[in-house]
Amino acid sequence: MKKALILSFALIISLCAAAQSTAQEKDSTTFKGYLYNEKYNVYIVLDFYHNNVVVPNQEIYGEMAGYFGDRQDGRKWLFTEAKIIDKGKAEIQIINDYGSEDLTATLTAIDGKNYKLRQESGSTLKIARNRKWVKMPKELDFVKR
C-alpha cells in the first residue's frame, strides 16, 4: 500500500512537471524569429529566449538578444538586453553599432503575427537614406515572417 501511494505521488508530480514544461515551450516562439516593416524596409531578428543571435558581418559583438536592421544600409541597432515582462511584452536595451547612442524600447506581440516596437526613452532609432539620417517614428509596426 505504501509503495502504491508513493508511486502514485511520483506519477502525479511527473505529469505536472511535463504539463508545465509543455506550457512554457508553447510560448518559446513569441519573441523569436524575423519581423519586418514594409513601409520603412526595416527588420528585426530576435531570440529573447536563448540570446544567441549573431549580427552578420559583425560577429565581433558576439551573441545577443537580436538586432534592428535596414535593407538598404549595413548599419545595425543591437539588442544588448531583452527581458520578457509578460507573455506578450518585452523590454529591450538597444545601442547602435558604434556604441554612441542607446535607448530603451518595448516590443509587444499583438497577436501571433503582428508586433509593435515602441521607443520609450533615450536616443531615437535612425536609418540612412540618400546619405541623410532619417528618424524612425516612436512606434513601428512589424509583421512576423
Side-chain angles (χ1 to χ4, degrees), residues 28-85:
S28 66
T29 59
T30 302
F31 292 108
K32 180 179 180 178
Y34 179 87
L35 311 177
Y36 185 69
N37 177 293
E38 192 171 332
K39 181 177 180 181
Y40 292 97
N41 207 14
V42 294
Y43 61 92
I44 294 174
V45 176
L46 65 143
D47 186 347
F48 293 173
Y49 304 101
H50 301 106
N51 294 317
N52 62 354
V53 176
V54 177
V55 181
N57 302 318
Q58 297 182 11
E59 292 84 6
I60 193 164
Y61 296 119
E63 295 181 342
M64 57 188 57
Y67 60 92
F68 174 92
D70 175 14
R71 289 254 187 225
Q72 298 177 17
D73 187 45
R75 296 181 195 102
K76 307 285 187 262
W77 288 83
L78 312 174
F79 296 177
T80 56
E81 186 180 334
K83 182 171 68 172
I84 299 171
I85 298 170

Side-chain angles (χ1 to χ4, degrees), residues 73-121:
D73 187 45
R75 296 181 195 102
K76 307 285 187 262
W77 288 83
L78 312 174
F79 296 177
T80 56
E81 186 180 334
K83 182 171 68 172
I84 299 171
I85 298 170
D86 60 37
K87 187 177 177 182
K89 191 172 188 177
E91 185 175 281
I92 315 165
Q93 299 298 319
I94 306 173
I95 63 167
N96 65 354
D97 53 4
Y98 295 109
S100 60
E101 298 184 66
D102 64 340
L103 65 120
T104 301
T106 55
L107 183 65
T108 305
I110 297 167
D111 55 29
K113 191 172 179 175
N114 297 298
Y115 291 77
K116 185 175 291 289
L117 179 71
R118 178 171 169 70
Q119 300 174 50
E120 299 293 341
S121 63

